[in-house]
Amino acid sequence: MAMLSSVLLALLPAAATAGFYALPGVTPESFEEGDHVELKVARLDSVVTQLPYPYYTLPFCAPKSREFSEQHLGASLRGDRIETSNYKLKFETDEACRILCRKRFSKKQLGRFEEMIRESYRAYWLVDNLPAATKVKGAEPETYSYQRGFDIGLTEEAMGQGAVYLNNHVRLTIKYHKQPDKAGARIVAFEVEPFSVAHRYKHDSHDGRTPDTGNNYLSTCNPLNPINHGMPPMRIDGIDDTELIFTYDVNWVESDTRWASRWDMYLLVSDEMVHWFSVFNSLVTVAFLSGMVGIILIRTLNADIDSYNELDAESGREDVGWKLLHADVFRAPPHVNLLSALIGTGCQLFCTGGSMLVFSCLGLVSPAHRGGLTTAMYFTFVLMGTLSGYFSARNYKMLGGENWQLNTLWTAFLCPSIVFGVFFLLNLVLWAEGSSGAVPFMALIKMLFMFFGVHVPLSYAGGYFGFKRAKIEHPCRVNTLRRIIPDKEWYLHPVVTMLCGGMLPFGAIYVEINFVLSSIWLRHYYYVFGFMLLVFMILAVTCSEMCIVLCYVNLCRGDYEWWWRSFLTSGSCALYVFIHSIFYYNTQLNITKTLSMFLYFGYSGVMAFVVFILTGTIGYQATLVFIRQIFAAVKLD
């Protein structure tokens, strides 16, 4: 096992630089010249409100018959409602200033446009399963990056203040790659550049012609006079009603980018050194803790054990030091059912997270499958229900529990019910708001069916087999009378040690937490799973070593109540995660709505709760192994 861990640690940095984020997509589709290429609309979304809406919530130019694309659970959680559009795209056929539609809008409709533009809403489109991207200039000359989606409008001043202008013209640049040995071509990039322009017709609409069916009736643009950002924009605030004209250009450009690499523009890691700094910082923390644990295990403990064994050989000598606690250190803690349920769920989360990271590093999770990672995580968690029941029952029986059926129910329902309850409450809020971020009713039914039909039976089966196995026997017997725990210094108070115990584990994951939060709330892609797997392993080691050090210190002071303290010590990392989410909210986000703030802290609380169970379980299991090892090594009467 140690050899395997060493190999993984050696290979992960190289694999990370090789790009764990370059993942395969779906089956490629080839196009011939003149083939119809479908442009689909997904949603409107804003990092200011965090409330996605269906694209046609605003009265854009919608087709007469709207068709929805089928999608799985993960895409629904993202707020995608993929529909068809009126944009007519033909492969390798350029278009210039083509009119999409001509509509008259009421004051109320224009007010809705104005509100969402001030809230920085962006439109998200798809072509051949590629999301629309906007090119953004970088800090260095001739450098740029890509952002998903494009602004539906702009304001004259920052922070949504001043006059409001609607982006009613888009320039679509679609890149394709041709292979000499294969027929057809494949789409490899989809860029959108929005414009705001106050369109004007050459002739009045009552002259018998139908301007909305051609592209030669506008005085503001034509093939020889393309739209540019210097033209008068289309202002929509302070207007009772007006006519709006939506137009678009299409440019087809041949590219050297291969189809297998077309997602690189979205997944480009421009801040790779930050990830490496995070890993280096975490490794320094682990090295420091490993040194402390090494001193305890190799020097202090060996010396203690040798001394205790020598004293036992002499008649008339009493036990001293932490050996005095041998008759109390394995005394069952209060609330055994609750502790065992948390441990079982923590083991389930650990196996789910670890397996998902490994699968992601191997390229089995693709960004082309929108929400695929979320869907895979839910299914994996449900299937890992056997492990939760098994480990909970083993721990419950070790601590003297007898009613394993009740323990299994606690394990299957306690933590998932808390998470689902918060999620359902937030989903009700999204439903009431009409947001597409609300999970559809049928998707909720499927989730509940998976939980009750698969997760609960698997937990019960795991609990049955776990309790059926022989009880884990402790190396020491427990006395009937409890030993009195002496008073300790203030800095060894359980609250102080718990708070200190979570600081270093949080420090090990601080930078990656920032990137994860950005992927959730700022809609950034996160596909550097090689770094995340490495940090996940460092987190496990840090939690284990921190709990072992603090447990040994407390044993030396005569405190044998380590069961709950070891869980809460490493679990306190979640407290710092939640505090950091508050700091992130105040420094990185511009959320103004109370409802959006409620959603943010609701989901942040769920994330902190999951981290609490995961890290608490790691610390508990490591401390249990440590305690059993040291007391098994001393000679007892």
Side-chain angles (χ1 to χ4, degrees):
M1 192 68 179
M3 175 90 52
L4 178 60
S5 301
S6 302
V7 172
L8 283 174
L9 285 171
L11 291 179
L12 278 171
T17 52
F20 283 167
Y21 42 81
L23 303 176
V26 294
T27 304
E29 183 177 359
S30 297
F31 297 90
E32 299 283 353
E33 184 176 356
D35 286 353
H36 173 67
V37 178
E38 195 169 18
L39 188 153
K40 296 182 179 181
V41 296
R43 71 184 190 278
L44 299 172
D45 204 351
S46 169
V47 297
V48 174
T49 66
Q50 301 293 334
L51 295 172
Y53 290 95
Y55 181 77
Y56 292 117
T57 297
L58 290 178
F60 288 112
C61 308
K64 293 181 180 179
S65 59
R66 292 163 55 181
E67 298 179 4
F68 291 85
S69 300
E70 293 185 5
Q71 54 191 25
H72 48 69
L73 175 64
S76 299
L77 291 173
R78 284 163 42 111
D80 285 346
R81 299 294 183 269
I82 301 174
E83 305 179 56
T84 54
S85 72
N86 273 341
Y87 289 88
K88 308 298 182 184
L89 308 182
K90 292 185 178 180
F91 193 76
E92 290 191 275
T93 303
D94 291 348
E95 298 282 356
C97 204
R98 184 175 181 85
I99 296 177
L100 180 67
C101 74
R102 173 188 182 188
K103 294 179 64 176
R104 180 161 290 277
F105 293 86
S106 66
K107 183 178 180 179
K108 182 178 179 181
Q109 291 173 321
L110 293 174
R112 183 58 174 157
F113 270 111
E114 178 186 349
E115 179 186 1
M116 298 191 78
I117 291 173
R118 291 191 186 278
E119 292 173 343
S120 302
Y121 269 86
R122 296 172 68 86
Y124 291 81
W125 292 353
L126 298 168
V127 165
D128 191 35
N129 207 38
L130 270 181
T134 306
K135 187 182 292 187
V136 180
K137 290 184 178 179
E140 299 294 330
E142 299 182 0
T143 61
Y144 56 86
S145 59
Y146 287 92
Q147 291 182 353
R148 283 186 295 167
F150 62 93
D151 294 322
I152 63 172
L154 65 155
T155 56
E156 194 171 29
E157 301 174 10
M159 306 296 291
Q161 302 300 314
V164 178
Y165 305 100
L166 174 68
N167 287 331
N168 57 334
H169 178 86
V170 290
R171 180 166 297 143
L172 311 178
T173 302
I174 305 176
K175 299 180 180 181
Y176 59 92
H177 177 74
K178 289 186 175 181
Q179 293 181 308
D181 56 336
K182 294 183 180 179
R186 296 171 180 174
I187 294 175
V188 295
F190 175 34
E191 300 175 13
V192 177
E193 184 179 6
F195 297 84
S196 180
V197 56
H199 279 306
R200 295 291 182 270
Y201 283 111
K202 290 181 181 179
H203 304 281
D204 294 333
S205 59
H206 61 266
D207 62 357
R209 287 183 279 188
T210 54
D212 55 328
T213 59
N215 62 352
N216 298 317
Y217 298 90
L218 296 175
S219 61
T220 43
C221 73
N222 56 65
L224 300 178
N225 182 30
I227 296 289
N228 61 73
H229 291 288
M231 291 183 171
M234 185 66 231
R235 183 170 180 174
I236 61 171
D237 60 311
I239 300 176
D240 289 339
D241 66 331
T242 189
E243 181 185 71
L244 296 179
I245 304 166
F246 291 87
T247 56
Y248 63 98
D249 301 333
V250 183
N251 296 325
W252 294 89
V253 179
E254 189 169 359
S255 172
D256 294 331
T257 303
R258 292 182 172 272
W259 186 88
S261 304
R262 67 179 189 164
W263 280 92
D264 289 359
M265 59 183 285
Y266 303 96
L267 310 180
L268 179 64
V269 182
S270 58
D271 42 16
E272 186 174 314
M273 292 306 299
V274 177
H275 290 277
W276 281 118
F277 173 78
S278 168
V279 171
F280 177 76
N281 176 66
S282 302
L283 288 175
V284 170
T285 303
V286 169
F288 172 73
L289 282 176
S290 298
M292 293 185 63
V293 173
I295 292 174
I296 291 174
L297 294 179
I298 298 174
R299 298 184 59 184
T300 309
L301 270 177
N302 284 342
D304 288 349
I305 292 171
D306 291 341
S307 174
Y308 297 159
N309 289 338
E310 289 176 3
L311 289 174
D312 280 341
E314 302 177 12
S315 58
R317 300 295 297 272
E318 295 183 357
D319 293 339
V320 294
W322 52 262
K323 186 184 176 184
L324 282 169
L325 308 178
H326 67 85
D328 293 275
V329 72
F330 292 106
R331 188 180 301 278
H335 311 297
V336 170
N337 235 333
L338 175 60
L339 180 61
S340 299
L342 292 173
I343 296 302
T345 305
C347 293
Q348 182 183 13
L349 289 172
F350 182 85
C351 295
T352 300
S355 59
M356 285 305 305
L357 286 174
V358 172
F359 293 153
S360 300
C361 290
L362 295 176
L364 300 181
V365 178
S366 169
H369 297 91
R370 288 172 304 281
L373 179 62
T374 306
T375 305
M377 286 182 63
Y378 182 73
F379 277 92
T380 305
F381 178 81
V382 167
L383 295 176
M384 292 287 182
T386 306
L387 298 180
S388 68
Y390 177 83
F391 285 108
S392 176
R394 295 284 289 159
N395 190 80
Y396 180 69
K397 187 174 184 179
M398 177 186 70
L399 297 177
E402 297 179 356
N403 191 351
W404 69 270
Q405 293 93 339
L406 178 62
N407 170 252
T408 301
L409 290 177
W410 273 71
T411 306
F413 286 98
L414 177 63
C415 297
S417 297
I418 293 174
V419 173
F420 183 80
V422 175
F423 170 76
F424 185 73
L425 176 63
L426 298 177
N427 203 59
L428 285 178
V429 173
L430 292 172
W431 265 340
E433 190 66 18
S435 170
S436 62
V439 179
F441 179 74
M442 288 306 301
L444 279 178
I445 295 299
K446 292 177 183 178
M447 291 176 65
L448 291 175
F449 175 78
M450 286 289 295
F451 179 77
F452 287 104
V454 181
H455 178 268
V456 173
L458 288 178
S459 298
Y460 191 88
Y464 172 79
F465 287 107
F467 199 82
K468 191 176 181 181
R469 290 197 60 184
K471 180 181 178 181
I472 300 175
E473 298 294 342
H474 298 307
C476 310
R477 293 191 301 270
V478 177
N479 282 349
T480 304
L481 299 177
R482 298 175 62 92
R483 175 182 290 272
I484 298 176
I485 299 175
D487 295 332
K488 296 178 293 185
E489 296 82 352
W490 66 269
Y491 53 83
L492 290 179
H493 190 277
V495 175
V496 177
T497 56
M498 289 173 195
L499 292 177
C500 293
M503 293 179 67
L504 287 180
F506 172 73
I509 63 173
Y510 165 75
V511 175
E512 292 304 313
I513 284 289
N514 265 328
F515 285 103
V516 171
L517 290 176
S518 295
S519 71
I520 297 173
W521 303 110
L522 296 180
R523 311 299 190 259
H524 295 170
Y525 275 113
Y526 185 95
Y527 269 87
V528 283
F529 291 112
F531 287 108
M532 181 176 277
L533 178 59
L534 186 56
V535 170
F536 182 77
M537 296 168 65
I538 292 173
L539 173 66
V541 174
T542 308
C543 288
S544 302
E545 294 181 342
M546 197 68 191
C547 282
I548 289 174
V549 170
L550 292 176
C551 177
Y552 177 76
V553 171
N554 278 281
L555 288 177
C556 291
R557 296 298 190 276
D559 188 349
Y560 53 84
E561 295 180 341
W562 61 272
W563 303 91
W564 274 106
R565 188 175 59 241
S566 63
F567 186 92
L568 296 175
T569 295
S570 56
S572 65
C573 174
L575 175 63
Y576 295 99
V577 170
F578 188 76
I579 293 174
H580 176 65
S581 70
I582 299 175
F583 173 78
Y584 187 88
Y585 173 86
N586 289 306
T587 57
Q588 301 296 322
L589 301 179
N590 188 31
I591 295 177
T592 55
K593 285 189 173 182
T594 303
L595 175 60
S596 303
M597 181 179 66
F598 176 70
L599 291 172
Y600 175 83
F601 286 108
Y603 286 122
S604 296
V606 170
M607 182 176 68
F609 181 65
V610 171
V611 172
F612 168 71
I613 298 174
L614 174 63
T615 54
T617 300
I618 294 172
Y620 173 88
Q621 297 285 24
T623 308
L624 175 62
V625 173
F626 171 74
I627 293 288
R628 289 177 57 83
Q629 290 293 324
I630 65 173
F631 280 93
V634 295
K635 297 178 181 179
L636 299 171
D637 295 333

